Amino acid sequence: MNTSTTTLSELHALDLSIGGMTCASCVGRVERALRKVPGVQDAAVNLATESARIQFAAPDGGDAAMDALLRRAVRNAGYEPLTPAASEAREQEDAPWAGFAPVAIGMLLSAPLVVPMLGDLFGQHWMLPAWLQFALATPVQFVLGARFYKAGWHAAKALSGNMDLLVAIGTSAGWGLSVWLWLTAPTEHAAGHVPHLYFEASAVVVTLVLLGKWLEARAKRQTTAAIRALHGLRPDVAHLLGKGGEVDVPIAEVMVGDRLVVRPGERIPVDGELREGQTQVDESMLTGEPLPVAKEPGGLLTGGSINGEGRIVLEVRAVGAETVLSRIIRLVEDAQAAKAPIQRLVDQVSNVFVPVVLLIALVTLLGWLWVGVGTETALIRAVAVLVIACPCALGLATPAAIMAGTGVAAEHGILIKDAQALELAYKVDTVAFDKTGTLTVGQPLLAALAVAPGLDEAAVLRDAASLQSGSEHPLAHAVVQAARQRALEVPAPDAVRAVPGRGSDGEVQGRSYLLGSLRWMEELGVALGPLAERARTLQDGGATVSALVQRTGQGLEPQALMAFGDEPKPGAREALAALKARGIRTVMISGDNRGAALAMAQRLGLMAADVRAEVLPGDKAAQVAALQQGDGGRDDERRRAAPRREGPPGGQRPSAAAERGSHIVSMVGDGVNDAPALAAADVGMAMGNGTDVAMHAAGITLMRGDPKLVAAALDISHRTVAKIRQNLFWAFAYNVAGIPLAALGYLNPVVAGAAMALSSVSVMTNALLLRRWKP
């Protein structure tokens, strides 16, 4: 992970890669060092990614000055701030045996010390001379184990502690005891008898810890496989189409507006619009959709997807950090770098873990001396306590599961923006869906046009299409499309003003019109006259009905009714059924009239009590708040009678459980008007085919507009949180059980060292089981 800087409102954020961290205690130490830097507001360190996310106020010397200060703070704390080049090299190091050399050397030097112990089991006395044991164990202790002394010394200077300090003290005690026994037993040595030494314990413990760290590093690389796979989707070269033909240029030189050629089977280099040719595009690595998507001129192409059988020419729309692929990578990296709320408990434990272990080891030593077992036995049992204590597993339990969970979710088109959303999603008991574009196709058609007596239908449709020509609303598109199908010449409007949640107000060729919902017409006091009965009939049939009225000297005169029909998305009914099967309540929120909303609900298998109709965009957040409080309102009358409740100011999600109420609510939407509700929900889910505003407000983005991904997102959240809890349980249980056993003399240092190495590896392996998940 490279050092990078982004801006969060008035705060800046910087990512910094850090080497040398080994356990949860290291994490706490680095965080404290970073937070002491002037201007730093917050610092979160992730042991699994070996990185820090720092938020700070803009410094006088700019971001470069802050970067230098942060790196100095990390170095002074005893750790290595990695340069971007070093970080890239570490991330790309995929050789299966990379970094194994120290472990192999340790094994070769330790084997002659261990084999004689196995011989004792069969009555064979193969014990090596003391000087040879010393010669084999000392390089392991002080050369291969130098990293433990270095990191442990920095921790001790900072009046802190970490795994390295425990290993250094424990193995040094075993090595020192062996030297002391050897040098103080000259009589037996002279007679050819080798005293019982513990060189093998110190050497094997160091080797086992190195082995555990190597296995842990391999597992970490596997948890970041999703990120590396996404980076691998970027081609290095693009075929630029210029005046002289095709020219291959580095991808970094491509600019917006360039025209690029993509040959069959090649990856599309950047985001663009298809200009020439037709093809099928494989977007599975980005959206999880296994079937190729047909593309024709005018269609949007996403960088990283694979071109099918046709040669195409695209016009570049976005490059670099602004492409969809870069934004996906950024979202996944942010989620993996974030610290889950449950991690706070681990941090509190790690802050006191090492001092408590040192105290227990001292009590073990003094206790056994007091019992009278002798210095040798008492010291070995104290060493076992130091060696078996493992803060590494505690530090890896949460981030390893989060990295694996968010990574596999991203591979299947589910982008989890932050760890809080991941941790809350498994508690969701209510899911509220926006109707249009989320549960429906979102491409309504003009199903019926009823004009007032004496008016020309074509002229009315032409003026309505002119009024709607500049709008992005799906109903506006339907009006314009209907006019095009009739080959009507649509004039440009003289003036148009959008009225949020209601419709449009404007002028066409000197005539003033209002076009919007029947609810708006009711608010304005418009009498539909001869069109009223037709409006009721259309609504009862499940259509969404709008009215066109003209301002005249006599007031607002109705001109026409427009009835729109939409279709449920394929799989939407099954998606809602899957959520119900999980015991989750589903609610549909719509701005449509109640008749249209109920008709769609019936097609989707929803009960009338779970439909919220005629909800204005500004009131969606209030609906979410009502659902959180368990007061969802089982009919529209109660909603209409209640005072209007605004969403949280600034789109901020309520943070306190009291504000969230008795239910954990997820909101699923895709439009700008859904953003306040997405932010107000405990877990906001935005459809990836929606707007950037919606995706920014949501904690989870579904890269395909498939409602079935909602249940999948809740499922991977549940499984990830389960893995976090399993890992924390085993990490705590391991230490709670292992330390007393070592203190009571049931574990020798070699077994303790093996158990310590196994604890970290088992936590990583358990987290990696998430990679087998499929929606």
Side-chain angles (χ1 to χ4, degrees):
M1 182 180 295
N2 295 342
T3 304
S4 63
T5 308
T6 56
T7 302
L8 301 175
S9 62
E10 296 181 359
L11 290 179
H12 291 227
L14 183 143
D15 292 334
L16 187 64
S17 295
I18 301 170
M21 296 189 297
T22 56
C23 65
S25 299
C26 298
V27 169
R29 207 162 119 229
V30 173
E31 284 182 344
R32 288 192 296 273
L34 290 171
R35 287 170 182 159
K36 289 179 182 177
V37 175
V40 170
Q41 304 296 313
D42 189 32
V45 176
N46 188 311
L47 179 60
T49 59
E50 295 182 302
S51 65
R53 164 64 59 87
I54 306 105
Q55 293 186 21
F56 56 93
D60 295 336
D63 290 340
M66 177 58 75
D67 182 62
L69 288 173
L70 294 171
R71 288 177 176 276
R72 178 67 57 85
V74 169
R75 192 177 300 280
N76 290 341
Y79 301 93
E80 184 69 23
L82 299 178
T83 63
S87 178
E88 289 282 348
R90 283 166 51 127
E91 287 183 359
Q92 294 174 4
E93 193 176 60
D94 284 331
W97 297 101
F100 189 70
V103 180
I105 294 171
M107 287 179 171
L108 289 173
L109 293 175
S110 300
L113 299 173
V114 176
V115 170
M117 295 177 62
L118 299 177
D120 287 343
L121 299 176
F122 302 97
Q124 302 297 319
H125 302 288
W126 301 334
M127 193 62 66
L128 300 177
W131 67 269
L132 186 53
Q133 293 185 48
F134 172 83
L136 291 170
T138 300
V140 177
Q141 182 70 40
F142 297 105
V143 179
L144 299 181
R147 55 175 285 183
F148 303 121
Y149 287 99
K150 180 181 177 181
W153 171 243
H154 284 294
K157 284 197 302 181
L159 299 179
S160 177
N162 58 10
M163 180 211 75
D164 302 287
L165 184 63
L166 296 179
V167 172
I169 293 175
T171 56
S172 296
W175 183 88
L177 175 63
S178 301
V179 172
W180 179 71
L181 291 173
W182 172 33
L183 297 178
T184 56
T187 305
E188 293 110 329
H189 184 60
H193 297 290
V194 179
H196 184 70
L197 306 177
Y198 298 93
F199 282 122
E200 86 287 339
S202 62
V204 170
V205 166
V206 169
T207 302
L208 285 173
V209 175
L210 290 174
L211 175 61
K213 286 296 168 188
W214 178 77
L215 292 172
E216 181 185 306
R218 285 197 65 187
K220 284 179 183 176
R221 285 197 293 273
Q222 291 183 54
T223 61
T224 58
I227 287 290
R228 293 202 306 277
L230 289 171
H231 278 293
L233 297 181
R234 293 168 166 160
D236 297 323
V237 175
H239 311 306
L240 178 64
L241 189 60
K243 294 180 180 178
E246 296 180 25
V247 180
D248 287 352
V249 297
I251 200 73
E253 296 180 12
V254 174
M255 296 185 293
V256 173
D258 284 345
R259 291 205 167 200
L260 306 178
V261 173
V262 185
R263 297 162 186 159
E266 290 185 338
R267 288 199 181 275
I268 295 170
V270 292
D271 295 354
E273 182 177 337
L274 182 58
R275 290 303 187 190
E276 298 178 18
Q278 296 180 342
T279 188
Q280 300 272 336
V281 176
D282 179 2
E283 299 177 340
S284 57
M285 277 301 293
L286 297 172
T287 66
E289 173 58 56
L291 298 177
V293 180
K295 299 290 183 180
E296 296 182 352
L300 298 180
L301 301 170
T302 305
S305 53
I306 301 175
N307 182 27
E309 72 283 357
R311 176 188 181 275
I312 58 174
V313 176
L314 66 88
E315 182 176 323
V316 178
R317 288 291 188 89
V319 296
E322 300 305 315
T323 63
V324 170
L325 179 59
S326 294
R327 287 158 54 199
I328 290 174
I329 292 172
R330 201 156 56 240
L331 278 173
V332 178
E333 287 180 339
D334 288 348
Q336 295 187 344
K339 183 170 289 190
I342 198 172
Q343 184 70 19
R344 288 193 291 267
L345 171 64
V346 179
D347 292 343
Q348 292 171 1
V349 172
S350 358
N351 286 338
V352 298
F353 184 86
V354 173
V356 168
V357 169
L358 290 172
L359 181 62
I360 293 173
L362 179 60
V363 170
T364 300
L365 175 65
L366 297 177
W368 284 112
L369 288 175
W370 181 73
V371 171
V373 299
T375 303
E376 179 180 338
T377 301
L379 188 58
I380 285 299
R381 290 175 180 174
V383 167
V385 169
L386 292 172
V387 170
I388 200 169
C390 186
C392 328
L394 287 175
L396 290 168
T398 300
I402 287 176
M403 289 177 66
T406 54
V408 73
E411 290 175 2
H412 291 91
I414 301 168
L415 299 185
I416 300 170
K417 190 165 71 175
D418 56 53
Q420 182 177 355
L422 182 73
E423 200 170 317
L424 269 177
Y426 90 101
K427 299 178 182 178
V428 166
D429 56 23
T430 304
V431 177
F433 288 89
D434 172 57
K435 180 177 79 72
T436 304
T438 303
L439 290 176
T440 67
V441 176
Q443 297 175 352
L445 300 175
L446 183 61
L449 175 63
V451 301
L455 297 181
D456 179 60
E457 185 176 291
V460 170
L461 179 58
R462 182 196 60 212
D463 286 358
S466 174
L467 195 64
Q468 299 284 60
S469 59
S471 174
E472 293 297 321
H473 196 282
L475 298 185
H477 288 175
V479 174
V480 174
Q481 183 66 22
R484 287 176 179 168
Q485 288 176 349
R486 297 194 186 189
L488 299 177
E489 291 187 11
V490 179
D494 298 328
V496 177
R497 179 176 67 90
V499 182
R502 288 167 173 81
S504 301
D505 179 353
E507 295 182 5
V508 178
Q509 295 183 336
R511 295 180 293 275
S512 179
Y513 290 106
L514 298 175
L515 175 56
S517 66
L518 294 185
R519 180 176 179 178
W520 188 26
M521 300 301 130
E522 184 181 337
E523 291 173 358
L524 296 173
V526 176
L528 295 179
L531 296 176
E533 184 61 32
R534 179 66 168 152
R536 281 190 293 271
T537 303
L538 291 171
Q539 284 186 320
D540 292 342
T544 300
V545 182
S546 296
L548 176 70
V549 300
Q550 182 178 357
R551 284 192 186 93
T552 66
Q554 288 74 38
L556 297 174
E557 296 184 0
Q559 303 290 296
L561 296 176
M562 297 180 179
F564 301 91
D566 201 355
E567 291 295 314
K569 278 187 176 179
R573 186 184 181 100
E574 292 78 4
L576 296 177
L579 290 170
K580 290 177 185 176
R582 295 173 64 96
I584 296 172
R585 181 187 179 195
T586 53
V587 176
M588 185 178 77
I589 299 177
S590 173
D592 275 346
N593 64 78
R594 186 160 182 81
L598 287 176
M600 182 57 67
Q602 186 175 16
R603 299 179 68 181
L604 292 169
L606 284 172
M607 295 186 298
D610 292 325
V611 175
R612 306 290 177 268
E614 299 180 26
V615 179
L616 295 176
D619 290 336
K620 289 183 180 180
Q623 288 291 323
V624 169
L627 290 169
Q628 288 169 327
Q629 299 298 332
D631 184 27
R634 294 195 171 258
D635 54 57
D636 287 327
E637 296 304 321
R638 187 186 337 181
R639 178 183 55 76
R640 290 191 182 114
R644 178 172 173 175
R645 298 168 61 184
E646 296 294 340
Q652 295 299 312
R653 178 185 304 165
S655 57
E659 292 182 16
R660 289 202 302 264
S662 56
H663 294 279
I664 306 298
V665 177
S666 175
M667 174 69 191
V668 186
D670 68 335
V672 172
N673 58 14
D674 296 322
L678 291 171
D682 299 288
V683 180
M685 295 193 193
M687 293 291 188
N689 58 341
T691 65
D692 289 345
V693 175
M695 287 187 275
H696 180 73
I700 297 176
T701 297
L702 310 177
M703 289 305 294
R704 300 195 309 277
D706 185 354
K708 287 185 285 190
L709 284 182
V710 175
L714 298 181
D715 183 59
I716 187 59
S717 166
H718 173 78
R719 292 174 186 270
T720 302
V721 171
K723 287 298 180 189
I724 291 174
R725 290 180 169 179
Q726 290 168 16
N727 284 350
L728 288 176
F729 170 79
W730 287 114
F732 278 111
Y734 161 83
N735 285 293
V736 168
I739 292 174
L741 288 174
L744 294 173
Y746 292 109
L747 298 176
N748 65 45
V750 172
V751 174
M756 185 190 77
L758 183 62
S759 68
S760 297
V761 175
S762 63
V763 162
M764 294 297 299
T765 303
N766 188 44
L768 285 174
L769 292 177
L770 284 170
R771 294 187 63 196
R772 301 186 300 181
W773 176 84
K774 291 183 179 180

